[in-house]
Amino acid sequence: MRIGMPLNYSGGFKETVDELATYEKAGLDIVYVAEAYSFDAVSQMGFIAARTERLEIASGILQIYTRTPTATAMTAAGMDFVSDGRFTLGIGASGPQVIEGFHGVPYQAPLGRTRELVDICRQVWRRERVQHDGKHFQIPLPEGQGTGLGKPLKLINHPVRENIPIMIAAIGPKNVAMVAEIAEAWEPIFYVPEKAADVWGESLAAGKAKRDPQLGELDVVAQAPLAIGEDVASLADSIRPMLALYIGGMGAKGKNFYNDLARRYGYEAEAAEIQDLYLDGKKDEAAAKVPDELISQTTLIGSEEHVRERLAAYKQAGVSTLNVTPLAGTFEERTKLIEKVRELSDEV
């Protein structure tokens, strides 16, 4: 398994980048830069590209509604250029609260828009004259729209690669099937290896049945907070507020994808209670209701033997990239965690 790490978008970015060269030597393979509604990810990824040599860089994620498809393709080609072919374009739909609330764009047709965006990006990277007559995007604009002066254009520069890897964040059944069909990588969230086949197996199989063999095997990118030792069990409680935020507060009732996922994992009653408490402003109480089992299943927190067993479970479930968040207070401790998880993952 490759070992990756997400960068915190709420602070400490420059300090973390200063540490990346050492993390590279410790065994880190790829770093993911989020965007959410924080600083843009692109400027930060360019900064990372200039400060590293081997480390792969991925957007984790760029929302499909916030840039035109061709702007997304240009951004990816530019990032692949300045990083000498180390870039992965991570995209996703995000949710209506962010897209409509922060960007002021209707949250419509995420599957259709994603599929069309991927097609347009690959046209751009092949340096074809971009022509797309889709339901959601028309390039060039047809007669009757705009000035009528648009014409098909191709990218001026020659990209480093015409097949820049695309990773798509998805958890819904139809979304996951689409990802398995058209993308190089899939990023779920709160991945429980023991339950992944039950929740996503059918969708993955349906998508892979339509997959172009030239795309290669689907890279499955799972996330997990990381702490290794005999005295780290208390760190599991630090994950509760984040799980409560997603399960309880990332969307209205009936429109929270993460709450739906918790239910699909078998936590129907718990998911409902967490959401009710969170939306009532009782965040601490909501966090207390997050099941211990869910925390254990979605983290790498525990003894060395426990973490080795969890790594084996991830590998058995088909995870090929493990995106870890080292839970440690110092740079030296975080480096040791990356070294150890690299060692353990190579053993399983």
Side-chain angles (χ1 to χ4, degrees), residues 131-279:
Q131 299 184 71
H132 182 86
D133 184 19
K135 182 177 180 180
H136 307 288
F137 302 105
Q138 294 83 42
I139 305 174
L141 279 177
E143 290 186 17
Q145 297 186 39
T147 64
L149 299 176
K151 63 178 183 179
L153 298 172
K154 65 180 180 180
L155 189 69
I156 293 173
N157 312 79
H158 288 261
V160 174
R161 296 179 292 175
E162 69 173 31
N163 58 341
I164 297 170
I166 295 175
M167 177 187 75
I168 302 178
I171 54 178
K174 293 181 180 179
N175 305 57
V176 172
M178 177 192 66
V179 174
E181 177 188 349
I182 69 172
E184 281 86 359
W186 167 48
E187 183 185 32
I189 194 171
F190 308 138
Y191 189 90
V192 176
E194 291 85 354
K195 298 182 180 181
D198 292 336
V199 173
W200 289 305
E202 186 175 331
S203 296
L204 289 169
K208 289 179 180 179
K210 302 177 183 178
R211 186 177 180 83
D212 185 339
Q214 292 187 354
L215 289 173
E217 290 295 319
L218 182 68
D219 179 21
V220 180
V221 182
Q223 307 169 28
L226 171 69
I228 304 174
E230 299 298 331
D231 57 350
V232 298
S234 61
L235 290 174
D237 282 336
S238 68
I239 308 302
R240 292 184 183 279
M242 186 266 292
L243 281 166
L245 166 63
Y246 277 80
I247 296 171
M250 283 290 194
K253 283 192 175 182
K255 295 293 183 181
N256 183 325
F257 310 130
Y258 313 103
N259 189 278
D260 292 343
L261 177 60
R263 292 170 186 267
R264 291 165 66 199
Y265 277 151
Y267 301 108
E268 293 91 347
E270 294 90 339
E273 188 173 14
I274 291 167
Q275 187 175 55
D276 287 342
L277 288 167
Y278 204 96
L279 295 179

Side-chain angles (χ1 to χ4, degrees), residues 28-340:
L28 190 68
D29 297 300
I30 185 169
V31 63
Y32 295 85
V33 182
E35 194 162 67
Y37 44 100
S38 55
F39 291 149
D40 80 288
V42 180
S43 60
Q44 297 178 88
M45 291 188 293
F47 183 67
I48 294 171
R51 299 286 297 276
T52 57
E53 296 179 359
R54 179 189 64 83
L55 197 65
E56 295 180 53
I57 304 165
S59 53
I61 58 170
L62 302 183
Q63 299 106 329
I64 63 171
Y65 296 92
T66 56
R67 296 169 176 86
T68 66
T70 41
T72 300
M74 292 163 65
T75 295
M79 276 302 311
D80 209 45
F81 171 69
V82 299
S83 66
D84 296 320
R86 291 183 283 143
F87 180 65
T88 292
L89 174 62
I91 57 174
S94 186
Q97 288 189 325
V98 173
I99 299 306
E100 296 183 356
F102 190 69
H103 294 285
V105 178
Y107 188 87
Q108 297 173 342
L111 270 73
R113 292 175 70 95
T114 300
R115 186 180 287 275
E116 291 187 28
L117 183 148
V118 169
D119 176 67
I120 293 165
C121 281
R122 288 176 173 153
Q123 284 189 57
V124 172
W125 300 333
R126 292 192 298 264
R127 296 193 72 240
E128 298 174 359
R129 295 190 182 277
V130 180
Q131 299 184 71
H132 182 86
D133 184 19
K135 182 177 180 180
H136 307 288
F137 302 105
Q138 294 83 42
I139 305 174
L141 279 177
E143 290 186 17
Q145 297 186 39
T147 64
L149 299 176
K151 63 178 183 179
L153 298 172
K154 65 180 180 180
L155 189 69
I156 293 173
N157 312 79
H158 288 261
V160 174
R161 296 179 292 175
E162 69 173 31
N163 58 341
I164 297 170
I166 295 175
M167 177 187 75
I168 302 178
I171 54 178
K174 293 181 180 179
N175 305 57
V176 172
M178 177 192 66
V179 174
E181 177 188 349
I182 69 172
E184 281 86 359
W186 167 48
E187 183 185 32
I189 194 171
F190 308 138
Y191 189 90
V192 176
E194 291 85 354
K195 298 182 180 181
D198 292 336
V199 173
W200 289 305
E202 186 175 331
S203 296
L204 289 169
K208 289 179 180 179
K210 302 177 183 178
R211 186 177 180 83
D212 185 339
Q214 292 187 354
L215 289 173
E217 290 295 319
L218 182 68
D219 179 21
V220 180
V221 182
Q223 307 169 28
L226 171 69
I228 304 174
E230 299 298 331
D231 57 350
V232 298
S234 61
L235 290 174
D237 282 336
S238 68
I239 308 302
R240 292 184 183 279
M242 186 266 292
L243 281 166
L245 166 63
Y246 277 80
I247 296 171
M250 283 290 194
K253 283 192 175 182
K255 295 293 183 181
N256 183 325
F257 310 130
Y258 313 103
N259 189 278
D260 292 343
L261 177 60
R263 292 170 186 267
R264 291 165 66 199
Y265 277 151
Y267 301 108
E268 293 91 347
E270 294 90 339
E273 188 173 14
I274 291 167
Q275 187 175 55
D276 287 342
L277 288 167
Y278 204 96
L279 295 179
D280 283 344
K282 300 175 182 177
K283 297 180 181 180
D284 291 342
E285 293 179 41
K289 294 296 182 180
V290 174
D292 293 342
E293 183 184 41
L294 181 60
I295 295 174
S296 177
Q297 291 174 327
T298 56
T299 66
L300 293 169
I301 299 175
S303 67
E304 184 174 317
E305 184 57 33
H306 173 76
V307 171
R308 183 184 285 108
E309 292 173 357
R310 296 309 300 152
L311 288 169
Y314 279 106
K315 187 173 183 179
Q316 180 66 29
V319 172
S320 43
T321 299
L322 195 58
N323 198 9
V324 301
T325 301
L327 302 179
T330 68
F331 165 54
E332 290 75 15
E333 290 172 327
R334 291 190 291 273
T335 302
K336 289 180 181 178
L337 280 173
I338 292 172
E339 288 176 339
K340 178 54 71 172

